[in-house]
Amino acid sequence: MTADPRSTPHEEPPARIEILPVTGLPEVRPGDDLAALLAGAGLRDGDILVITSKIVSKAEGRIRQADDRTDAIAAETERVVARRGDTVISQTRHGFVMAAAGVDASNTEPGTVLLLPEDSDATARRVRAALAPAKVGVIISDTFGRPWRHGLTDLAIGAAGVQPLEDFRGGVDTHGNPLSATVTALIDEIAAAAELVKGKLSGVPVAVVRGLSHLVTDEAGPGVRALLRPADEDLFRYGSRDVVFARRTIREFSAEPVDPEAVRKAVAAGIAAPAPHHTTPWRFVLVESAATRVKLLDAMRDAWIADLRGDGFSEESIAKRIRRGEVLRNAPYLAVPCLVMEGSHTYRDERRNAAEREMFVVATGAGVENFLIQLAVEGLGSAWVSSTMFCRPAVRELLGLPESWDPMGAVAIGHGAAPPRDRAPRDPGDFILVR
């Protein structure tokens, strides 16, 4: 029988694994040398040392004076994923998604909190190098919750000299079934196993895992970064309380192509918006042809210039306004949301007819906002530009739209080439009137 050329040979599981607590360590203080403290742990070649991140934070001086964690959590948070009451799930600048941005008020002196280490992979590399000539692996661990399960478990937040993942994709199981998605997080499994002898209250911050020498590598390796899922692969990137704020105006796009299916999912969100009289006032024209995009934008530009000249604007002022619309030309994908008045009521009173149209305009805006938010959830950036509203005849003609379709702007869509600018701070109280 010939082996599948795509499969990778995997080591047989070891006959015996030992997990040994490292006891007798002193209270760790800022400036302490962790490797020196662990030199007497009786390490052998092939051992894996699992170190609780708290003592790393203490040794590295990652201690802050604080009566509570609130300010420290905000400072350590790059992105809030979810929030309920005082509980905050956030992404740290390291890329970890965890409770309270990893800020911990336990096992530290009253009035202080511990922050995560600056770079746990780097710490693991330094400790490993200092323990030479012993060939050992080092894992820095911390406690994480899981979104679909009760209880906490330890995971790796740093590693060196340990194979981080085992990839079974391309192989087959014992029944001959192909494996297409199986990648085992080895360093997380080791970190969780080591916690069984460390515990939360026993005062044992370090454990030695023995019997997995086949996972200890000659080089330091990629560390925990190999386990962090990129944003565009994260199906659960935004929590329900975070998702509205995920929508940001993006004006610089990369050349990476846009998945049309992702845009169609955004359209599905757009048409879920509320509308008057049980109508469906939204239509989305997806301009996927590059040639059509160029013709559309040229036609819009020419119509806009003609209007501005007719209004007496100077050529300098016209050029400045035209440059603002370049975001549409730089995007690899365009959508043109349109308003249709099908199902609207007609009244003898023009005042009521005007209000009827306003109702449909508001409903279209709600649909476009849903569309923009879902684009962000799909990992796409966008910018809603109102230019098509100033040249509707030209847009209808070039795109072959019915006279009853009113273009309500154009949405530039793509992958952001640069992070969006920070939002200007706004106090909701400034926008509220209570009676």
Side-chain angles (χ1 to χ4, degrees), residues 46 49 68 72 88 126 129 166 179 219 221 236 261 304 314 348 367 370 374 386 391 400 426:
L49 201 62
D68 62 47
V88 179
R126 286 195 299 270
E166 188 161 24
L179 299 174
E219 302 298 326
F236 308 99
E261 206 47 48
W304 199 9
S314 69
R348 287 178 295 177
N370 278 14
Q374 188 63 33
S386 301
C391 48
R426 294 173 181 169

Side-chain angles (χ1 to χ4, degrees), residues 31-104:
D32 282 350
D33 184 339
L34 288 180
L37 293 177
L38 297 169
L43 296 173
R44 305 176 186 173
D45 283 352
D47 283 350
I48 299 174
L49 201 62
V50 183
I51 306 170
T52 299
S53 66
K54 285 185 180 65
I55 68 168
V56 176
S57 296
K58 290 178 179 179
E60 295 180 353
R62 297 283 287 162
I63 305 170
R64 295 292 180 271
Q65 297 292 326
D67 293 329
D68 62 47
R69 298 187 296 171
T70 305
D71 290 341
I73 292 170
E76 292 293 297
T77 293
E78 183 173 277
R79 178 175 63 90
V80 174
V81 175
R83 187 190 302 271
R84 177 175 294 173
D86 293 332
T87 301
V88 179
I89 307 298
S90 56
Q91 178 181 314
T92 72
R93 56 183 171 72
H94 316 80
F96 307 134
V97 176
M98 58 196 309
V103 178
D104 200 339

Side-chain angles (χ1 to χ4, degrees), residues 16 54 74 77 89 115 143 151 197 201 203 250 294-295 388 422:
R16 177 185 177 89
K54 285 185 180 65
T77 293
I89 307 298
L115 313 181
T143 302
V197 302
L201 303 176
I250 301 295
V294 171
K295 291 178 182 177
T388 63
D422 290 336

Side-chain angles (χ1 to χ4, degrees), residues 261-383:
E261 206 47 48
V263 180
R264 284 159 174 77
K265 291 177 182 176
V267 171
I271 62 176
H277 315 316
H278 305 288
T279 57
T280 54
W282 325 274
R283 301 293 185 271
F284 290 86
V285 184
L286 307 183
V287 187
E288 297 182 343
S289 162
T292 301
R293 284 200 303 276
V294 171
K295 291 178 182 177
L296 171 65
L297 296 174
D298 286 348
M300 288 169 56
R301 179 198 59 205
D302 294 345
W304 199 9
I305 289 173
D307 281 349
L308 292 170
R309 283 176 177 161
D311 289 336
F313 283 87
S314 69
E315 292 301 311
E316 181 181 358
S317 179
I318 291 172
K320 185 183 296 185
R321 283 167 169 77
I322 294 300
R323 282 197 297 272
R324 291 173 187 163
E326 286 302 298
V327 62
L328 297 174
R329 201 172 291 274
N330 296 334
Y333 196 108
L334 287 183
V336 179
C338 295
L339 160 67
V340 298
M341 295 290 292
E342 293 174 7
S344 62
H345 297 170
T346 302
Y347 303 96
R348 287 178 295 177
D349 183 345
E350 285 306 312
R351 176 183 58 82
R352 295 178 68 189
N353 285 332
E356 182 80 0
R357 178 174 173 79
E358 286 179 2
M359 289 165 52
F360 275 70
V361 170
V362 169
T364 303
V368 175
E369 177 70 357
N370 278 14
F371 177 70
L372 299 176
I373 290 171
Q374 188 63 33
L375 286 173
V377 171
E378 298 294 330
L380 293 168
S382 63

Side-chain angles (χ1 to χ4, degrees), residues 104-141:
D104 200 339
S106 64
N107 291 307
T108 185
E109 294 180 2
T112 66
V113 296
L114 294 176
L115 313 181
L116 289 180
E118 286 281 0
D119 185 339
S120 294
D121 280 338
T123 298
R125 290 193 294 269
R126 286 195 299 270
V127 171
R128 176 177 179 267
L131 293 172
K135 180 185 174 183
V136 298
V138 176
I139 293 174
I140 312 296
S141 68

